[in-house]
CSV table of all heavy atoms in Angstrom, one decimal:
chain,number,residue,atom,x,y,z
A,1296,GLY,N,2.3,-39.7,46.8
A,1296,GLY,CA,1.2,-39.9,47.8
A,1296,GLY,C,0.6,-41.3,47.9
A,1296,GLY,O,0.4,-41.8,49.0
A,1297,SER,N,0.3,-41.9,46.7
A,1297,SER,CA,-0.4,-43.1,46.8
A,1297,SER,C,0.5,-44.3,46.5
A,1297,SER,O,0.2,-45.5,46.8
A,1297,SER,CB,-1.5,-43.1,45.7
A,1297,SER,OG,-0.9,-43.1,44.4
A,1298,GLY,N,1.7,-44.1,45.9
A,1298,GLY,CA,2.6,-45.2,45.5
A,1298,GLY,C,2.1,-45.9,44.3
A,1298,GLY,O,2.8,-46.8,43.8
A,1299,LYS,N,1.0,-45.5,43.7
A,1299,LYS,CA,0.5,-46.1,42.4
A,1299,LYS,C,0.8,-45.2,41.2
A,1299,LYS,O,0.9,-44.0,41.3
A,1299,LYS,CB,-1.1,-46.2,42.5
A,1299,LYS,CG,-1.6,-47.2,43.5
A,1299,LYS,CD,-3.1,-47.1,43.7
A,1299,LYS,CE,-3.8,-47.8,42.6
A,1299,LYS,NZ,-5.3,-47.8,42.7
A,1300,SER,N,1.0,-45.8,40.1
A,1300,SER,CA,1.2,-45.1,38.9
A,1300,SER,C,-0.1,-44.6,38.3
A,1300,SER,O,-1.2,-45.1,38.7
A,1300,SER,CB,1.9,-46.0,37.9
A,1300,SER,OG,1.1,-47.0,37.4
A,1301,ARG,N,-0.1,-43.7,37.4
A,1301,ARG,CA,-1.3,-43.3,36.7
A,1301,ARG,C,-1.9,-44.4,35.9
A,1301,ARG,O,-3.1,-44.5,35.9
A,1301,ARG,CB,-1.0,-42.1,35.8
A,1301,ARG,CG,-0.6,-40.8,36.6
A,1301,ARG,CD,-0.3,-39.7,35.6
A,1301,ARG,NE,0.2,-38.6,36.4
A,1301,ARG,CZ,1.4,-38.1,36.2
A,1301,ARG,NH1,2.2,-38.5,35.2
A,1301,ARG,NH2,1.9,-37.1,36.9
A,1302,LEU,N,-1.1,-45.2,35.4
A,1302,LEU,CA,-1.5,-46.4,34.7
A,1302,LEU,C,-2.4,-47.3,35.6
A,1302,LEU,O,-3.5,-47.7,35.2
A,1302,LEU,CB,-0.3,-47.2,34.1
A,1302,LEU,CG,-0.6,-48.5,33.3
A,1302,LEU,CD1,-1.4,-48.2,32.1
A,1302,LEU,CD2,0.7,-49.2,33.0
A,1303,GLU,N,-1.8,-47.6,36.8
A,1303,GLU,CA,-2.6,-48.4,37.7
A,1303,GLU,C,-3.9,-47.8,38.2
A,1303,GLU,O,-4.9,-48.5,38.3
A,1303,GLU,CB,-1.7,-48.7,38.9
A,1303,GLU,CG,-0.5,-49.6,38.6
A,1303,GLU,CD,0.5,-49.7,39.7
A,1303,GLU,OE1,0.7,-48.7,40.5
A,1303,GLU,OE2,1.2,-50.7,39.8
A,1304,THR,N,-3.8,-46.5,38.4
A,1304,THR,CA,-5.0,-45.8,38.8
A,1304,THR,C,-6.1,-45.9,37.7
A,1304,THR,O,-7.3,-46.1,38.0
A,1304,THR,CB,-4.7,-44.3,39.1
A,1304,THR,OG1,-3.8,-44.2,40.2
A,1304,THR,CG2,-6.0,-43.5,39.5
A,1305,LEU,N,-5.7,-45.7,36.5
A,1305,LEU,CA,-6.7,-45.8,35.4
A,1305,LEU,C,-7.3,-47.2,35.3
A,1305,LEU,O,-8.5,-47.3,35.0
A,1305,LEU,CB,-6.0,-45.3,34.0
A,1305,LEU,CG,-5.7,-43.8,33.9
A,1305,LEU,CD1,-4.8,-43.6,32.7
A,1305,LEU,CD2,-7.0,-43.0,33.8
A,1306,GLN,N,-6.4,-48.2,35.4
A,1306,GLN,CA,-6.9,-49.5,35.4
A,1306,GLN,C,-7.9,-49.8,36.5
A,1306,GLN,O,-8.9,-50.4,36.3
A,1306,GLN,CB,-5.7,-50.5,35.5
A,1306,GLN,CG,-4.9,-50.6,34.2
A,1306,GLN,CD,-3.6,-51.3,34.4
A,1306,GLN,OE1,-3.0,-51.4,35.5
A,1306,GLN,NE2,-3.1,-51.8,33.3
A,1307,SER,N,-7.6,-49.3,37.7
A,1307,SER,CA,-8.5,-49.5,38.9
A,1307,SER,C,-9.8,-48.7,38.7
A,1307,SER,O,-10.8,-49.1,39.3
A,1307,SER,CB,-7.8,-49.0,40.2
A,1307,SER,OG,-7.8,-47.6,40.2
A,1308,LEU,N,-9.8,-47.7,37.8
A,1308,LEU,CA,-11.1,-47.0,37.5
A,1308,LEU,C,-11.9,-47.7,36.3
A,1308,LEU,O,-12.9,-47.1,35.9
A,1308,LEU,CB,-10.8,-45.5,37.1
A,1308,LEU,CG,-10.2,-44.7,38.3
A,1308,LEU,CD1,-9.7,-43.4,37.8
A,1308,LEU,CD2,-11.3,-44.5,39.3
A,1309,GLY,N,-11.4,-48.8,35.9
A,1309,GLY,CA,-12.1,-49.6,34.9
A,1309,GLY,C,-11.7,-49.3,33.4
A,1309,GLY,O,-12.3,-49.9,32.5
A,1310,LEU,N,-10.6,-48.5,33.2
A,1310,LEU,CA,-10.2,-48.3,31.8
A,1310,LEU,C,-9.4,-49.4,31.4
A,1310,LEU,O,-8.5,-49.9,32.1
A,1310,LEU,CB,-9.4,-47.0,31.8
A,1310,LEU,CG,-9.5,-46.1,30.6
A,1310,LEU,CD1,-10.9,-45.8,30.2
A,1310,LEU,CD2,-8.7,-44.9,30.7
A,1311,GLN,N,-9.6,-49.9,30.2
A,1311,GLN,CA,-8.9,-51.1,29.6
A,1311,GLN,C,-8.2,-50.7,28.3
A,1311,GLN,O,-8.4,-49.6,27.8
A,1311,GLN,CB,-9.9,-52.2,29.3
A,1311,GLN,CG,-10.6,-52.7,30.5
A,1311,GLN,CD,-11.7,-53.7,30.2
A,1311,GLN,OE1,-12.0,-54.0,29.0
A,1311,GLN,NE2,-12.3,-54.3,31.2
A,1312,ASN,N,-7.4,-51.6,27.8
A,1312,ASN,CA,-6.7,-51.4,26.6
A,1312,ASN,C,-5.8,-50.2,26.6
A,1312,ASN,O,-5.8,-49.3,25.7
A,1312,ASN,CB,-7.6,-51.3,25.4
A,1312,ASN,CG,-8.4,-52.6,25.3
A,1312,ASN,OD1,-8.0,-53.7,25.6
A,1312,ASN,ND2,-9.7,-52.5,24.8
A,1313,LEU,N,-5.0,-50.1,27.7
A,1313,LEU,CA,-4.1,-48.9,27.9
A,1313,LEU,C,-2.8,-49.2,27.2
A,1313,LEU,O,-2.2,-50.3,27.4
A,1313,LEU,CB,-3.9,-48.6,29.4
A,1313,LEU,CG,-5.2,-48.3,30.1
A,1313,LEU,CD1,-5.0,-48.2,31.6
A,1313,LEU,CD2,-5.8,-47.0,29.6
A,1314,ARG,N,-2.2,-48.3,26.6
A,1314,ARG,CA,-1.0,-48.5,25.9
A,1314,ARG,C,0.0,-47.3,26.2
A,1314,ARG,O,-0.4,-46.1,25.9
A,1314,ARG,CB,-1.3,-48.5,24.4
A,1314,ARG,CG,-0.1,-49.0,23.5
A,1314,ARG,CD,-0.6,-49.2,22.1
A,1314,ARG,NE,0.5,-48.9,21.2
A,1314,ARG,CZ,0.3,-48.5,20.0
A,1314,ARG,NH1,-0.9,-48.4,19.5
A,1314,ARG,NH2,1.4,-48.2,19.2
A,1315,VAL,N,1.1,-47.5,26.8
A,1315,VAL,CA,2.0,-46.5,27.1
A,1315,VAL,C,3.0,-46.3,26.0
A,1315,VAL,O,3.6,-47.3,25.5
A,1315,VAL,CB,2.8,-46.9,28.4
A,1315,VAL,CG1,3.8,-45.8,28.7
A,1315,VAL,CG2,1.8,-47.0,29.6
A,1316,ILE,N,3.1,-45.1,25.5
A,1316,ILE,CA,4.0,-44.8,24.4
A,1316,ILE,C,5.4,-44.4,24.9
A,1316,ILE,O,5.5,-43.5,25.7
A,1316,ILE,CB,3.4,-43.7,23.5
A,1316,ILE,CG1,2.0,-44.0,23.0
A,1316,ILE,CG2,4.3,-43.4,22.3
A,1316,ILE,CD1,1.9,-45.3,22.3
A,1317,PRO,N,6.5,-45.1,24.5
A,1317,PRO,CA,7.8,-44.8,25.0
A,1317,PRO,C,8.2,-43.3,24.8
A,1317,PRO,O,7.8,-42.7,23.8
A,1317,PRO,CB,8.7,-45.7,24.3
A,1317,PRO,CG,7.8,-46.7,23.7
A,1317,PRO,CD,6.5,-46.1,23.5
Side-chain angles (χ1 to χ4, degrees):
S1297 68
K1299 291 173 77 175
S1300 69
R1301 292 180 190 121
L1302 177 65
E1303 291 168 332
T1304 300
L1305 290 169
Q1306 290 168 331
S1307 72
L1308 292 169
L1310 214 53
Q1311 299 175 353
N1312 301 325
L1313 301 171
R1314 191 170 146 208
V1315 178
I1316 305 305

